[in-house]
Amino acid sequence: MAVKGSVPYDPQNVFARILRGELPCNKVYENDYVLAFHDIAPKAPIHVLVIPKAPYVSFADFSQNASEAEITGFTRAVGQVARILQVDGPGYRLLSNVGEEGGQEVPHFHVHIFAGRALGPMLPE
Ligand code: AMP
């Protein structure tokens, strides 16, 4: 089910449970601001999710309500994860789904990093 409209943060969402250590993840990177881990159902040879540790529902929520330090920390961490994955050279795609029409399934802000092959057109025609 896609995330509908502007919803309050649900502390039982799957990423909140991963952050609390209640569910496992295949971790790539962690610092004070973010956790990055492999997507459980990869859509590309490399498919990693970067999530803030603080509770934001979506990019809309994060961009409006996160502190400058959180935004800087998150942005730099996404770049750091790409370097760890060694995809800077060949290239990669960042994606963040927001809300119902954006196709967001998990109501905790996250950025997808896709890489490992030529990714083709941005959206299906
Ligand atoms: P989105 O549609 O942007 O909300 O994407 C949510 C992503 O989370 C999907 O690509 C799922 O495969 C992924 N996902 C859901 N549960 C888990 C989990 N337990 N561990 C890793 N990835 C997950």
Side-chain angles (χ1 to χ4, degrees):
M1 271 297 270
V3 176
K4 287 196 195 302
S6 181
V7 294
Y9 187 79
D10 171 12
Q12 293 310 320
N13 78 75
V14 65
F15 294 169
R17 297 188 64 200
I18 287 172
L19 284 168
R20 290 196 297 269
E22 295 168 8
L23 293 174
C25 74
N26 186 358
K27 183 163 78 176
V28 173
Y29 177 75
E30 181 174 14
N31 70 11
D32 287 348
Y33 294 106
V34 308
L35 177 66
F37 51 92
H38 290 278
D39 196 290
I40 203 166
K43 306 274 191 302
I46 296 171
H47 183 176
V48 167
L49 302 170
V50 187
I51 72 173
K53 287 191 168 173
Y56 296 102
V57 174
S58 66
F59 178 76
D61 184 16
F62 184 76
S63 60
Q64 193 167 12
N65 298 313
S67 68
E68 306 293 316
E70 287 174 316
I71 291 170
T72 302
F74 185 84
T75 304
R76 290 206 188 280
V78 172
Q80 174 71 7
V81 172
R83 286 189 291 280
I84 290 167
L85 296 168
Q86 300 186 297
V87 297
D88 270 10
Y92 57 95
R93 181 170 295 164
L94 302 181
L95 175 77
S96 188
N97 297 317
V98 180
E100 195 170 9
E101 291 201 359
Q104 184 180 2
E105 300 281 345
V106 177
H108 181 113
F109 170 48
H110 51 282
V111 166
H112 299 255
I113 301 177
F114 299 106
R117 65 168 167 82
L119 294 166
M122 199 157 46
L123 290 173
E125 296 296 322

